[in-house]
Amino acid sequence: MLAATHAAFSTVMYLGGATVFEYKIDPIAWCLAMLFSIMPDIDLPTSKVGRPLFWISVPLEKRFGHRTITHSFVGIAILVTLISPLYFYFPLYFWAVLGGYWSHLQIDMANFRGVDLFWPSPIRVVMPGKRAYRLEVGSKAEMIVLCSMLVFCVGLYPMSNLGLRGGLHQILKDFEISYDEFIEVQGANWYTLELKAIDNLTLEHINCVCPILGAWQSGLIIEHNGKVRSVGKSQMQHNLFPVDAVLIKGEPLRVISQRVDMKGKSLRWLVNNLKANHGYYLVGELYVDADKVVNVSQIEAYHPVLWGGDKVRLHYARAEDLGEYLNVTAIRGEVVVQFWLRSHDKPVELNFAGGADSEEMPGVLRGL
């Protein structure tokens, strides 16, 4: 095959692998795959690689002939031996070189002659077996195949950046795919949800690109118009029913969190004494006196503050979400204060005020 055909086929394999196995495209690895896709023809002095390396290609052709040792498992074994250090230091480059080399052998099997894959055995491997379907070097059929692969590469490139699941996600816009992907990657980056949904209470149609805070009851918690809502398939457990949903990856996320012992303290004490230069979320459970009644009429399926008998559960709650729960004093329990920081955000400056009560806080929290 022509050098251009080999380079195009190696590119198809490289981008196809990135699509299926979801590894990140690396320009150096890509170039190595294309370079080594023509390397087996070093046994041919007239080839693209054989001409500049004539001092290797001429002896190889005289001693072994074309498409023999360099087109066999023996040649692959020699290559693996030579590039083995890459496996330990740059594994991506190792597989790019090996994959590019193998792509040459694979497409050469479609040539009339085939390759001596099991050299020194005289058995030749050809694929497909029917001669009429094989390609002649430089023929019109090879040009058609080359052009087809170039078009295929153009289509594969955006898919390779998204991955197979990401590509299907963009096409299907399925909420369950968004949920599964977020569960795998949450905490590493900021994520938003491009969402079309229906409010289960008002039947309002909602279109938004909303920040994702977390997961809840097989659904996602988002912030929409300054209000925390849950999105999911269950109309009994979630506020919004998703119609279309696409997960969008944002910049890296750094989460600073600290546990706060709430025994004998109220949420009002926490809010009044927590001083920080960043917004925060509260997550945790407080056990309270079950005889105390909180005057809250809550008809939504999800709320950042959930009352359950003797327990108050905070799930990505902000100070403005606490409302009627501020005066509830905890018998026991703890709250985790989470600060979500972007790369350009200033360091967290956190301290507690309020006299003796502040001494109950861990020292590490005061030093942040």
Side-chain angles (χ1 to χ4, degrees), residues 197-207 224-225 229 240:
I198 300 174
D199 190 304
N200 289 324
L201 183 62
T202 65
L203 299 184
E204 175 188 2
H205 286 250
I206 294 173
N207 292 279
H224 176 246
N225 290 339
R229 314 294 299 278
L240 306 176

Side-chain angles (χ1 to χ4, degrees), residues 132-335:
Y133 295 146
R134 298 182 211 161
L135 301 174
E136 183 180 355
V137 177
S139 65
K140 181 179 179 180
E142 183 179 355
M143 294 300 103
I144 294 174
V145 171
L146 173 58
C147 292
S148 300
M149 287 192 294
L150 292 176
V151 172
F152 197 47
C153 289
V154 173
L156 267 179
Y157 182 75
M159 287 289 290
S160 63
N161 288 307
L162 294 171
L164 185 60
R165 291 184 304 171
L168 290 174
H169 184 27
Q170 290 288 336
I171 295 172
L172 300 177
K173 297 184 177 181
D174 183 71
F175 175 78
E176 293 183 358
I177 297 178
S178 298
Y179 172 79
D180 291 339
E181 289 192 353
F182 180 78
I183 291 299
E184 293 181 7
V185 299
Q186 62 178 326
N189 290 80
W190 290 85
Y191 282 89
T192 54
L193 192 67
E194 185 178 328
L195 178 68
K196 291 183 179 179
I198 300 174
D199 190 304
N200 289 324
L201 183 62
T202 65
L203 299 184
E204 175 188 2
H205 286 250
I206 294 173
N207 292 279
C208 70
V209 178
C210 302
I212 301 177
L213 304 183
W216 186 78
Q217 298 290 348
S218 299
L220 297 176
I221 303 171
I222 65 170
E223 186 174 335
H224 176 246
N225 290 339
K227 190 175 183 180
V228 179
R229 314 294 299 278
S230 66
V231 184
K233 296 289 187 178
S234 172
Q235 297 187 20
M236 298 296 295
Q237 296 176 325
H238 302 104
N239 309 117
L240 306 176
F241 182 86
V243 179
D244 291 332
V246 177
L247 187 68
I248 302 174
K249 181 180 179 180
E251 62 183 294
L253 167 66
R254 185 163 61 98
V255 178
I256 295 179
S257 60
Q258 197 55 251
R259 298 177 183 273
V260 181
D261 185 5
M262 293 296 294
K263 181 179 179 180
K265 298 180 177 63
S266 69
L267 291 174
R268 185 180 298 278
W269 171 88
L270 179 65
V271 172
N272 288 342
N273 290 281
L274 180 59
K275 307 298 181 183
N277 60 335
H278 287 281
Y280 55 84
Y281 297 103
L282 304 175
V283 181
E285 290 183 344
L286 306 179
Y287 291 86
V288 299
D289 188 346
D291 293 335
K292 294 184 178 181
V293 179
V294 179
N295 182 23
V296 176
S297 73
Q298 180 179 311
I299 58 177
E300 293 181 322
Y302 166 80
H303 193 273
V305 186
L306 300 174
W307 169 268
D310 63 345
K311 185 190 300 183
V312 176
R313 182 181 181 186
L314 308 178
H315 202 62
Y316 297 101
R318 301 159 301 178
E320 57 266 31
D321 298 320
L322 301 180
E324 297 290 335
Y325 298 91
L326 284 170
N327 293 324
V328 173
T329 301
I331 298 174
R332 58 186 173 90
E334 64 180 15
V335 170

